[in-house]
Amino acid sequence: MKKANLIFIAILLVILVVAPLLSSLLNLYIDWLFFVETSYTAVFTKTLTAQIASGLLFCLLFLGAALVNLFFARRVEFSRPERYNISGTPITIDLAPLRTIRRAVSFFILLVVAFMMAKWGASLWSEILLFANALEVGQNDPVFGKDIGFYLFRYPLLESLKQFVDFTLILCALLAGTVYFLGGGILVSQRQVTIDPRVKRHMGILVGLMIVNMGPGFYLEALRMLYAEHGVIFGASYTDVHAKLAAYRLLAFLAPAAGAVLIAGMFKRQRRLTMISLGALFVVYFVGIMIYPALLQKFKVAPNEMVMETPYIENNIRMTRLGYDLDRIEEIPFDVDYNLTGRDIDKNDATIRNIRLWDHAPLLRTYSQLQQIRTYYRFQDVDNDRYTVNGQYLQVMLSPRELSYADLPSKNWINERLIFTHGNGITLGPVSRISREGLPEFFIKDIPPAGTTDLKVRRPEIYYGEMSNDYVIVKTKIPEFSYPTPEGGNIYTSYEGAGGVKTGSLSRRLLFSLKYQTEKIFFSSDITADSKILFFRNVRERFQKIAPFLLFDHDPYLAITDDGRLVWMVDAYTVSSRLPYSKPSTRRINYVRNAVKATLDAYDGTVTYYVSDPTDKIIQVYRRIFPSLFKDLAAMPEDLKRHVRYPQWLLQLQASVYAAYHMTDPKIFYNKENLWEIPTFDEKAMQPYYTIMKLPSEKREEYILLLPYTPAKRDNLAAWLAARCDDPHYGKLVVYTFPRDRLIFGPKQVDARINQDSHISQQLTLWSQRGSRVIRGSLLVIPVERSLLYVQPLYLAASDAVGLPELRRVIVAYENEVLMEENLELALQRLFGSRKAGAAPTTAASAPTAAAAGRASVKEMAAEAMKTYQRATDMQRQGNWAGYGEEIRKLEQLLKKMVN
C-alpha cells in the first residue's frame, strides 16, 4: 500500500509540477536569449529576480502557516475515532489506512497550493517594485491627507497582502479540517456532526485570526471610499466622510479586539464575552455602514445635494483633471465670422493643400487593389503622417506592404519559415491629390519602392510588422524570397541585419524545436551554423515583452528615416486606476500619461524606449527600477523626432472626459449646464483627425490633431479641441470655444443640408442606379482664419465586393452654401473665386490674362446661374416650395456676383 502511494504521488508530481516546471524553464531560457538579442538583459534579470523573490516569499509564508496548522492537527490523537454511526447502525472502521491517505492527501494538497501561491506571488513583482521605489507626488488626497504617491505605488500591494492573508487562513482551515476529518476529529452521522473540543479550539483560533485581519480590511475599505461612484460625483461623498468614515475607523479597532477576545475565549471558555465582542462588531457595522449613512443621505443630503456635495464635486473635478492631464488645456474664445475671401484661401494654401480627401477605409481598398502586387502581400492599415516632400510640408497617407502568411500559395514549413520571411516596402501618397481617374497619387509605390520625389526607401524589407508570424529562420541554405519581377521571375535575398538569435548548435535547435513544437527545426539540413531565428516579430508583442508594465497604443505607424530605413513608432502610456476622486474611463483607468515613445527598426528589430513626459511620477519610478531601459526624448534621432505625433487614442480619451470636466464651477457641473459631447456622424462618434493648418494667432502651419464638440443633445458646434504635434509646441492642447449665443453648424446639421440639396441628392441617386455604390467619406471641419469649412469626399465603387473606390466628387459647405464639384479646387473657386476684392492689383503685363480670367469667371457663373434656374423650375413643378426658394436665393447671389 505504501509503495503504491509513493508511485501515485510520484506520477502526480511529474504531471503537475515537473512537466510545467520544465516548460517554464524552457520559456525562461528562450526569453533570456531574446533579451540578450535586444540588449535588455538588465531588465530581464531585475524582473526575474523580483518574480523569484516575491514568489518564494509568498510560498514560504503560506507553507509556514500551513505546516504549523498541520503540525498541530496531526499531533492530536482521538480516543473515539473507530466508531461511526451510519444509518443508525454502529460500525467499526480501521483508521490506519485513513491515516496513510491523510498524510498523502495533505502533502499533495499542500504542494499544489504552495505552487499556486508561488505563482500568485510572482505575479505581484511589479507591485512590490513600485512599493519599494515609490515617490511622492507632492499633492495630498482631500480626505485622509495622504500623498497621491501612496495610492499610486503602495496601496495596490497593501490590498494584495490583505487578500493573501485571507486566502492563507481559509486554506489553512480547510487543510486542518480535512486532516481532522480523516483522523476522526470530526464525525458525521445521519443525525449529527460531532466535533472534538480540540478541533473547535483550533478552528476558533483560525476564525479569530480572520476577524483580526478584518481590521486592516476595514482600514482599506475606508480608503476605497475614494473610488466610490455616487452618480453625481466619483469619490467619497458627504455621507461617506461624515458617516461611514467614523464607522470604518471604529471597526478597524474593534475587529482585531473582537478576534483577540474570540481566541482568548476558546481557551478560557468565556462564550459570553466572545458573543458580546462579536455582537458589538456586527452592530457597529450594521448601524454605522448600512443604517445611519442611508438615513443621513435620505433626510439631509438628498434634499440639499448640491450644497452638501459641493466640496466633494470640487475634489472630483480637480482630481479628474489631474488624472487625465486636462489642466494644461488652454481655452481660447473663437468668434466665427464668414468673411473669407480668395486672398484668405491663398494665404492658407498649405491648409487647403493638406485637407484630407482620402478616408482610411476606401484608401486601404484602393491601395490593396493597385499596389498589393501579389496575393500574398497585404496592406493591414493606413497611417497618417507628415513629410517635407520636395521642399513642401505635406500630410501623407502611407501603408506598409506586409507578408500575409494566410495567403501564401503553397503553405508548408519551408515556405512559411525559410523562404517567405518578410514584407516589402510601403505605399505613400498625399492626402488630397487625385488622378484624372479619381485614384490616389503616389509618392512611393511598387516593388522595389520607386518614386519621383526626394523621399526614398532604401531598406524596404519588413521583418518585424503588424502581421508577422511567430518566427522565421534566416541565413539558411535556401535563399529568401524578396520580390517578384515584371518578367515573372523572383529576386532573392539574404538577411544582413543584427536581429535574431543564432540556431547553429544542436542544443539550440533542440530547444527551439521544443518551444515551437516542431521537429523540423532540429532535423532540417538547411539550417547552418550562421542561421538565425527571428521571433517575437509582431510589433506590439515585441514592445510588450520588454516592458509589460506599459500600455501600448493599438496603432503603430511606420516612419521613413533620412537614410531610407523603415522604423515603427508607437505611443506607450503609464496608467493607473488608483488616483483618488478621478473618474475612471476605459479599462477602469483614471490616470494616464503618454510617457513613452517607442521605436522598432523594421529590418533588424532594434527596440528603443524614449521618455516623452519626464514629469510623470510613474515613469520616474520605473526609471528608478530599470535605469538602462529608457532614454531621454532628446536622444531620439532628429529624423524620427520629426514624426512624433500626439496619439489619437489619448486625445479621444481626454476629449471624452473634458466634455464634462471643462466645467470647473461645481454648480454648473452639478446642473450640467454646459455639458459637451463628441459629435456623431453616420451613427458613430467622430474620431480625432490629423491635419496641417494654421492655428488662430499663429504665423505658420503645423501638424495638429483636431476634434470638434457639440453641446449635449444638440447638433450645433460648441468648440474644437486641437493637439499640437510639431516642435516646439508638441503636446500643447488648445480648445477653441464658439459663442453660445450663435448657431454654428455641426457635422450632423451640415450632413442634413447636404442630403436636402436637390442637385446633390439627385446625382447620388443617379449614381446608385447605375450599378455603382456611393461611399460618403468623413465630414471634416476645417478652421480657416476665423471661419469654418466643411469638406466631405464622395467615392464611387462598383457594387460588387471588389469594386475599386474612386474619388469622384468633393462636397464643400461654407456658411449657408453647399456645393459639389469634381475636386476641392473647383469647389473653392466657385465659393471664393469672385471674392478676391482685396487681392493686389495686377500689372499691365498681366492685365490681358486677368481680363481673360474675368471673362471665363463670368461665363462659368452664367452657366451655374442657368443650372440653378433649371433646378428652381424643377422644384416649382414638383411643388417643393422650400427647395424652390433656396434655389432662387442662390440665383440671386450668383447674379449679384456677376454684376460686381
Side-chain angles (χ1 to χ4, degrees):
M1 183 68 180
K2 291 183 178 181
K3 186 177 180 180
N5 289 335
L6 290 174
I7 294 173
F8 174 71
I9 293 173
I11 293 173
L12 285 177
L13 282 174
V14 170
I15 295 174
L16 297 174
V17 178
V18 177
L21 183 61
L22 290 176
S23 177
S24 298
L25 290 175
L26 173 63
N27 291 328
L28 193 65
Y29 180 69
I30 299 296
D31 288 348
W32 165 256
L33 294 176
F34 168 72
F35 278 89
V36 170
E37 174 204 347
T38 54
S39 301
Y40 288 117
T41 53
V43 177
F44 177 84
T45 54
K46 187 67 169 284
T47 303
L48 181 61
T49 302
Q51 289 176 333
I52 293 174
S54 58
L56 280 176
L57 176 64
F58 280 83
C59 178
L60 293 175
L61 288 174
F62 170 76
L63 279 177
L67 289 173
V68 168
N69 282 274
L70 288 177
F71 172 76
F72 285 105
R74 293 182 60 185
R75 70 191 293 250
V76 177
E77 296 292 338
F78 302 101
S79 58
R80 301 176 289 103
E82 298 88 359
R83 308 255 336 150
Y84 284 82
N85 195 337
I86 301 176
S87 301
T89 305
I91 62 173
T92 301
I93 298 178
D94 182 12
L95 292 179
L98 289 179
R99 292 191 181 97
T100 303
I101 295 173
R102 178 180 67 176
R103 285 193 295 269
V105 170
S106 60
F107 177 76
F108 172 71
I109 294 176
L110 186 64
L111 197 64
V112 171
V113 175
F115 180 72
M116 292 170 53
M117 281 294 188
K119 289 194 67 174
W120 185 54
S123 69
L124 300 178
W125 67 270
S126 180
E127 293 183 8
I128 293 174
L129 289 178
L130 287 175
F131 188 95
N133 294 274
L135 292 174
E136 290 191 351
V137 175
Q139 186 170 342
N140 296 338
D141 82 87
V143 176
F144 299 97
K146 293 182 178 295
D147 187 86
I148 299 301
F150 167 82
Y151 299 97
L152 296 178
F153 307 121
R154 300 187 187 277
Y155 180 66
L157 183 60
L158 295 179
E159 281 200 322
S160 297
L161 289 175
K162 166 66 171 55
Q163 294 171 2
F164 169 75
V165 174
D166 280 338
F167 196 52
T168 298
L169 291 173
I170 292 172
L171 286 177
C172 286
L174 291 175
L175 282 170
T178 303
V179 172
Y180 282 131
F181 177 77
L182 294 175
I186 302 175
L187 302 179
V188 181
S189 66
Q190 187 179 23
R191 298 180 180 179
Q192 63 180 0
V193 177
T194 305
I195 303 177
D196 190 271
R198 290 168 292 181
V199 177
K200 291 182 179 179
R201 188 181 303 120
H202 189 169
M203 293 299 168
I205 293 172
L206 291 175
V207 172
L209 291 175
M210 293 178 195
I211 296 174
V212 169
N213 193 45
M214 290 171 63
F218 286 126
Y219 170 76
L220 295 175
E221 281 292 334
L223 297 178
R224 205 170 290 125
M225 292 191 304
L226 299 174
Y227 311 104
E229 190 158 6
H230 299 284
V232 65
I233 63 169
F234 182 86
S237 64
Y238 180 93
T239 301
D240 290 333
V241 174
H242 291 84
K244 290 185 178 181
L245 179 57
Y248 278 129
R249 285 173 171 168
L250 183 58
L251 287 168
F253 168 76
L254 283 179
V261 170
L262 175 61
I263 293 172
M266 299 305 299
F267 290 96
K268 296 185 178 181
R269 301 178 182 272
Q270 295 181 358
R271 298 181 59 183
R272 182 178 178 183
L273 185 60
T274 300
M275 298 304 295
I276 291 175
S277 63
L278 293 177
L281 186 67
F282 173 78
V283 169
V284 171
Y285 183 86
F286 185 73
V287 174
I289 303 300
M290 301 178 68
I291 301 298
Y292 177 62
L295 295 175
L296 183 67
Q297 178 69 28
K298 183 175 182 179
F299 294 107
K300 184 176 182 180
V301 177
N304 310 282
E305 189 174 44
M306 188 176 70
V307 176
M308 306 296 289
E309 301 287 14
T310 292
Y312 309 100
I313 295 175
E314 290 177 343
N315 295 338
N316 177 215
I317 294 173
R318 186 176 72 256
M319 299 305 289
T320 300
R321 290 174 66 90
L322 171 67
Y324 296 94
D325 206 14
L326 304 181
D327 285 326
R328 64 191 181 94
I329 297 180
E330 182 183 4
E331 189 168 320
I332 300 175
F334 189 85
D335 191 6
V336 177
D337 62 47
Y338 290 100
N339 299 318
L340 275 183
T341 65
R343 167 178 282 185
D344 294 324
I345 296 298
D346 293 340
K347 189 169 65 173
N348 291 274
D349 179 62
T351 298
I352 303 301
R353 190 171 59 240
N354 287 285
I355 294 177
R356 177 171 60 80
L357 299 181
W358 284 103
D359 273 11
H360 291 72
L363 186 62
L364 184 62
R365 287 180 57 188
T366 303
Y367 276 0
S368 297
Q369 297 196 40
L370 297 180
Q371 281 292 303
Q372 193 166 289
I373 309 298
R374 292 290 187 270
T375 58
Y376 42 78
Y377 287 123
R378 179 167 296 181
F379 293 103
Q380 173 77 4
D381 188 20
V382 177
D383 295 311
N384 195 296
D385 204 348
R386 72 284 198 198
Y387 287 84
T388 300
V389 182
N390 293 340
Q392 285 190 321
Y393 190 55
L394 295 178
Q395 184 181 1
V396 301
M397 308 285 277
L398 71 155
S399 184
R401 186 184 292 104
E402 297 200 57
L403 195 64
S404 174
Y405 289 91
D407 296 317
L408 286 177
S410 177
K411 297 181 66 177
N412 55 61
W413 186 82
I414 292 178
N415 275 345
E416 293 182 26
R417 308 300 179 180
L418 306 185
I419 297 178
F420 292 92
T421 57
H422 58 275
N424 200 304
I426 64 171
T427 296
L428 182 147
V431 296
S432 58
R433 298 186 191 176
I434 56 175
S435 67
R436 293 181 180 273
E437 297 79 19
L439 300 175
E441 182 179 322
F442 298 108
F443 287 162
I444 299 176
K445 61 179 181 177
D446 298 338
I447 304 176
T452 57
T453 68
D454 57 358
L455 205 58
K456 305 295 182 183
V457 176
R458 296 181 175 85
R459 178 56 80 181
E461 297 89 349
I462 301 175
Y463 283 88
Y464 299 87
E466 294 183 87
M467 298 181 63
S468 302
N469 62 2
D470 49 0
Y471 76 94
V472 293
I473 302 175
V474 297
K475 302 185 76 170
T476 64
K477 294 179 182 179
I478 300 179
E480 300 171 48
F481 172 81
S482 185
Y483 58 89
T485 63
E487 296 78 17
N490 293 325
I491 300 297
Y492 294 91
T493 187
S494 180
Y495 183 70
E496 299 174 356
V501 173
K502 285 198 171 185
T503 57
S505 66
L506 288 177
S507 58
R508 289 273 180 90
R509 292 168 66 172
L510 175 61
L511 290 174
F512 280 108
S513 292
L514 293 173
K515 165 68 177 177
Y516 293 109
Q517 300 180 7
T518 175
E519 74 286 351
K520 294 182 176 65
I521 297 177
F522 184 76
F523 290 107
S524 175
S525 59
D526 297 314
I527 299 176
T528 69
D530 295 325
S531 296
K532 289 182 175 182
I533 183 168
L534 310 184
F535 55 105
F536 293 130
R537 300 201 304 139
N538 181 272
V539 175
R540 294 187 69 226
E541 180 188 23
R542 195 170 180 87
F543 283 128
Q544 195 80 45
K545 187 68 179 178
I546 299 171
F549 44 83
L550 297 176
L551 175 64
F552 288 91
D553 198 279
H554 69 282
D555 185 27
Y557 60 100
L558 269 179
I560 307 172
T561 64
D562 288 347
D563 60 353
R565 297 181 73 88
L566 298 178
V567 176
W568 290 99
M569 303 184 72
V570 68
D571 293 281
Y573 311 96
T574 53
V575 297
S576 177
S577 60
R578 304 292 185 167
L579 185 65
Y581 272 107
S582 178
K583 185 177 179 63
S585 55
T586 308
R587 306 181 188 179
R588 298 297 298 171
I589 292 171
N590 68 3
Y591 176 94
V592 60
R593 293 291 186 273
N594 179 209
V596 174
K597 304 287 186 180
T599 64
L600 166 62
D601 191 296
Y603 185 72
D604 64 23
T606 301
V607 178
T608 312
Y609 299 87
Y610 300 96
V611 175
S612 56
D613 186 359
T615 63
D616 174 40
K617 291 295 180 181
I618 295 181
I619 202 62
Q620 289 178 18
V621 170
Y622 279 121
R623 293 192 81 170
R624 294 180 67 182
I625 299 171
F626 305 111
S628 63
L629 177 59
F630 301 102
K631 296 181 178 180
D632 293 329
L633 189 61
M636 178 182 284
E638 286 298 324
D639 53 357
L640 290 180
K641 196 180 297 183
R642 291 196 296 267
H643 299 286
V644 168
R645 66 187 192 184
Y646 202 87
Q648 286 181 294
W649 178 83
L650 180 59
L651 189 72
Q652 185 84 25
L653 178 64
Q654 290 176 311
S656 64
V657 177
Y658 191 74
Y661 286 89
H662 73 278
M663 299 179 286
T664 55
D665 186 305
K667 294 181 180 178
I668 296 176
F669 183 89
Y670 178 84
N671 293 317
K672 294 181 171 55
E673 296 177 20
N674 192 24
L675 184 65
W676 294 345
E677 290 178 349
I678 295 174
T680 59
F681 180 74
D682 197 19
E683 305 302 324
K684 297 179 181 178
M686 286 187 69
Q687 299 292 315
Y689 50 92
Y690 294 101
T691 188
I692 290 178
M693 61 168 287
K694 186 191 300 180
L695 290 174
S697 304
E698 293 294 332
K699 296 182 179 180
R700 69 176 184 89
E701 284 79 11
E702 57 187 290
Y703 191 60
I704 69 164
L705 185 60
L706 186 148
L707 184 66
Y709 280 115
T710 61
K713 300 179 181 179
R714 299 281 298 277
D715 294 327
N716 59 291
L717 285 182
W720 56 282
L721 177 64
R724 307 176 74 172
C725 299
D726 290 344
D727 277 338
H729 305 294
Y730 173 80
K732 292 184 178 179
L733 301 178
V734 187
V735 63
Y736 294 92
T737 57
F738 298 118
R740 297 177 65 182
D741 57 350
R742 293 176 54 192
L743 174 64
I744 311 297
F745 289 121
K748 190 174 288 187
Q749 292 172 320
V750 173
D751 186 60
R753 291 175 58 203
I754 293 172
N755 293 331
Q756 292 167 5
D757 186 282
S758 58
H759 173 65
I760 295 176
S761 61
Q762 288 174 7
Q763 190 65 55
L764 296 182
T765 302
L766 182 63
W767 282 328
S768 299
Q769 292 173 350
R770 293 180 176 177
S772 298
R773 184 164 62 95
V774 178
I775 304 171
R776 296 180 62 172
S778 300
L779 180 62
L780 304 182
V781 183
I782 307 296
V784 179
E785 296 294 329
R786 308 297 298 187
S787 300
L788 297 175
L789 286 177
Y790 304 84
V791 180
Q792 183 182 47
L794 288 182
Y795 313 94
L796 287 184
S799 55
D800 55 19
V802 295
L804 179 66
E806 300 174 356
L807 202 162
R808 286 303 182 184
R809 293 293 185 272
V810 178
I811 300 173
V812 178
Y814 172 74
E815 195 178 7
N816 294 316
E817 298 182 69
V818 177
L819 51 87
M820 180 174 69
E821 284 294 342
E822 292 184 5
N823 55 53
L824 182 61
E825 289 76 12
L826 287 176
L828 294 176
Q829 184 180 351
R830 278 186 57 190
L831 280 171
F832 305 106
S834 62
R835 298 191 184 192
K836 297 185 180 181
T842 58
T843 62
S846 63
T849 304
R855 288 193 297 270
S857 177
V858 170
K859 187 177 180 180
E860 290 173 357
M861 285 190 287
E864 179 62 26
M866 190 62 191
K867 292 180 182 178
T868 304
Y869 172 73
Q870 290 174 351
R871 289 198 299 269
T873 55
D874 289 341
M875 294 290 181
Q876 185 182 34
R877 284 194 295 269
Q878 296 169 7
N880 185 353
W881 298 108
Y884 172 77
E886 180 67 19
E887 295 300 328
I888 291 296
R889 186 187 63 79
K890 291 181 181 179
L891 180 60
E892 179 186 8
Q893 291 178 349
L894 284 170
L895 293 174
K896 287 180 179 179
K897 291 179 183 179
M898 294 173 67
V899 171
N900 294 332

